[in-house]
Amino acid sequence: QVQLVESGGGLVQAGGSLRLSCASSGRSIGDYEMGWFRQVPGKEREFVAGINWIGGARYYRSSVKGRFSISRDNDKNMVYPQMNSLKPEDTAVYYCAADRRISTVVHTTQENYDYWGQGTQVTVSS
């Protein structure tokens, strides 16, 4: 079993940066594809960024390309999305997710992910 806990959210002004973290307890996530999703009230959860198990493949939604980057430290069971040049439209609850299948690609749909954290709020003020 894998338990995921997100941290690092908060309030930031537009143009600022935040670095989120996702910590895993239980089984190692070294073999897992890791993804980040976000959700605002009244809307569906959407894919933000993902990284495959070895870190060789990364994928970002178009609206965050060039601003967000994702990395992982398998020895520490951690995943880090770095979010720069934040915009008010980035305001959401951000969720970390793990896909237990070993894959060379990054999946962008919720149904591919088996474990989820509780989320961390990111608020970007204008």
Side-chain angles (χ1 to χ4, degrees):
Q1 192 70 10
V2 171
Q3 292 82 40
L4 302 175
V5 178
E6 304 92 340
S7 61
L11 174 64
V12 64
Q13 288 189 332
S17 298
L18 280 176
R19 188 194 194 209
L20 304 183
S21 297
C22 175
S24 169
S25 60
R27 191 193 184 282
S28 168
I29 59 169
D31 293 341
Y32 292 2
E33 173 188 351
M34 300 298 296
W36 281 85
F37 290 74
R38 66 188 181 188
Q39 189 171 25
V40 298
K43 292 190 176 181
E44 289 195 4
R45 194 172 295 186
E46 63 182 21
F47 174 84
V48 176
I51 185 168
N52 77 332
W53 70 281
I54 202 171
R58 294 172 174 83
Y59 191 79
Y60 303 92
R61 71 179 297 108
S62 58
S63 62
V64 308
K65 274 182 185 176
R67 301 189 295 121
F68 290 14
S69 62
I70 187 169
S71 61
R72 66 188 299 162
D73 186 334
N74 287 343
D75 290 337
K76 296 181 179 178
N77 276 336
M78 298 287 291
V79 181
Y80 308 101
Q82 175 69 41
M83 307 188 298
N84 299 325
S85 302
L86 283 161
K87 303 176 181 180
E89 51 264 43
D90 294 318
T91 295
V93 177
Y94 283 73
Y95 297 89
C96 176
D99 173 2
R100 59 188 173 188
R101 297 167 298 170
I102 295 177
S103 175
T104 57
V105 299
V106 174
H107 296 93
T108 62
T109 57
Q110 300 182 59
E111 292 72 21
N112 287 108
Y113 291 85
D114 305 290
Y115 305 104
W116 292 84
Q118 293 300 307
T120 184
Q121 176 71 45
V122 172
T123 303
V124 184
S125 63
S126 57

